[in-house]
Amino acid sequence: MKNLLTDIAGVRVGHAQDAAIASGVTAILFDTPAVASIDVRGGGPGTREEALLNPVSTVEAIDGIALSGGSALGLDAAGGVQAWLAEQGRGFRVRDAVIPVVPGAICFDLLNGGNKAWGRFPPYRDLGYAAANVAAADFALGSVGAGLGATTANFKGGLGSASAQTAGGVMVGALAVVNAVGSVTVGDGPWFWAAPFEQDNEFGGRGLPSSFTSDMLRARLKGGPAAASAENTTLVVVVTDAVLTKAQARRLAMIAQTGMARAIYPVHAPLDGDVVFAAATGKKAIDPLSGLTELGMVTANTVARAIARGVYSATALPFPGALPAWSDRFS
């Protein structure tokens, strides 16, 4: 167990980023197609192939997922992941045609201090290809890939991951790109909202404060009252080795959204584009009611942990006025 999404067999993750533009891409690849669906709770989402993931749509399984910075311009990243998969002969077959199925989602990082004057075409398609090309079982956390340019209301955001196992031995992993309009910490202190679910001091072991003040509970919003509606999003991918239908994957994604509520304050706002993808590799059968409920509970906790790890692992961007990292204040 590496406490990563890739603890699920047959899953690989790769990052590619450009330090000058302060943005990047993360590719999640499946060795064999995975049944998948999506749940969107934020008011300002940016997604690709969302309709395909609806349980009533025909295609059952996907080959990968692309997460990117760049706002809507970053949706090109999925094309780069598709290009890499096509070279491997991977994809949905229609007679002699092969079409890699790669949904994607983006977060807004265009105002983080990086140089976004990239010319006619944004770099995200090439970054998507590069991320897929280096996908592996081990991958970095923090200010990497799609999390390079991420921020929160008070600290640098980033990319986090965690994994867990149900009492029945079903595995689940989560990966989160934390670019929230709210805060992942209690007030401006060292405590993470996700502290009750922490395992093995994975994000500092600070617990919760002994009591809560009104200042701790006031809203901290990125950009203050003038925050723009499209500047924030937390992206989450959860993968399990359970056998799930597409409808059950949708339900798992819905339950997993609870993990965002346990880790980010406030969350699911008109200012956010919060999205959860849920995918299943289909190795272990579960009870469709009690088993899925237990898996959802564990998955939500794992999402909360992944979000906290993303901020805990992040490093500040090297630009004037950049937000500090949690580690700059509390490591």
Side-chain angles (χ1 to χ4, degrees):
M1 294 280 287
K2 299 182 288 290
N3 201 21
L4 297 173
L5 183 74
T6 49
D7 284 328
I8 312 306
V11 181
R12 293 175 288 133
V13 173
H15 303 310
Q17 59 266 325
D18 186 325
I21 69 171
S23 190
V25 171
T26 295
I28 298 95
L29 303 183
F30 303 102
D31 289 348
T32 57
V35 172
S37 192
I38 189 174
D39 185 68
V40 180
R41 297 287 171 93
T47 60
R48 169 170 161 154
E49 297 281 30
E50 180 182 343
L52 178 145
L53 295 170
N54 190 307
V56 302
S57 296
T58 300
V59 175
E60 289 288 326
I62 64 174
D63 301 294
I65 297 171
L67 306 180
S68 179
S71 190
L73 299 166
L75 291 173
D76 284 349
V81 178
Q82 277 187 311
W84 188 88
L85 287 164
E87 290 179 348
Q88 320 307 313
R90 292 283 313 280
F92 181 73
R93 294 186 176 274
V94 182
R95 296 202 300 271
D96 294 334
V98 179
I99 308 161
V101 181
V102 182
I106 48 83
C107 62
F108 185 101
D109 59 4
L110 297 179
L111 299 176
N112 61 12
N115 179 11
K116 305 304 192 292
W118 45 56
R120 176 174 293 179
F121 298 112
Y124 295 102
R125 190 173 190 274
D126 289 338
L127 288 171
Y129 182 94
N133 195 48
V134 298
D138 292 310
F139 60 95
L141 304 184
S143 298
V144 293
L148 175 62
T151 55
T152 71
N154 54 352
F155 292 113
K156 176 70 176 68
L159 183 143
S161 191
S163 64
Q165 193 172 32
T166 70
V170 176
M171 291 290 303
V172 65
L175 182 148
V177 177
V178 189
N179 190 54
V181 71
S183 173
V184 177
T185 61
V186 179
D188 292 317
W191 316 279
F192 287 92
W193 289 109
F197 311 102
E198 184 175 12
Q199 297 184 10
D200 301 323
N201 296 328
E202 62 192 338
F203 39 91
R206 299 299 185 99
L208 289 172
S210 57
S211 61
F212 287 81
T213 67
S214 58
D215 181 67
M216 290 175 180
L217 297 176
R218 71 175 174 86
R220 286 166 169 78
L221 301 180
K222 188 194 302 181
S229 62
E231 292 186 20
N232 320 281
T233 285
T234 297
L235 309 175
V236 170
V237 175
V238 297
V239 183
T240 177
D241 61 0
V243 178
L244 298 181
T245 65
K246 205 172 177 183
Q248 289 171 328
R250 172 68 178 274
R251 178 57 57 183
L252 182 63
M254 294 170 67
I255 302 173
Q257 290 274 11
T258 309
M260 283 201 200
R262 293 170 179 169
I264 302 170
Y265 183 86
V267 73
H268 300 152
L271 310 170
D272 284 313
D274 300 332
V275 171
V276 174
F277 296 94
T281 60
K283 304 299 181 184
K284 297 174 183 174
I286 62 169
D287 182 89
L289 299 178
S290 62
L292 183 57
T293 301
E294 180 192 24
L295 177 60
M297 175 190 72
V298 174
T299 300
N301 295 346
T302 307
V303 168
R305 293 165 49 216
I307 290 169
R309 291 190 82 197
V311 172
Y312 175 75
S313 304
T315 54
L317 293 171
F319 306 121
L323 279 172
W326 183 93
S327 59
D328 293 335
R329 297 263 181 94
F330 304 115
S331 64

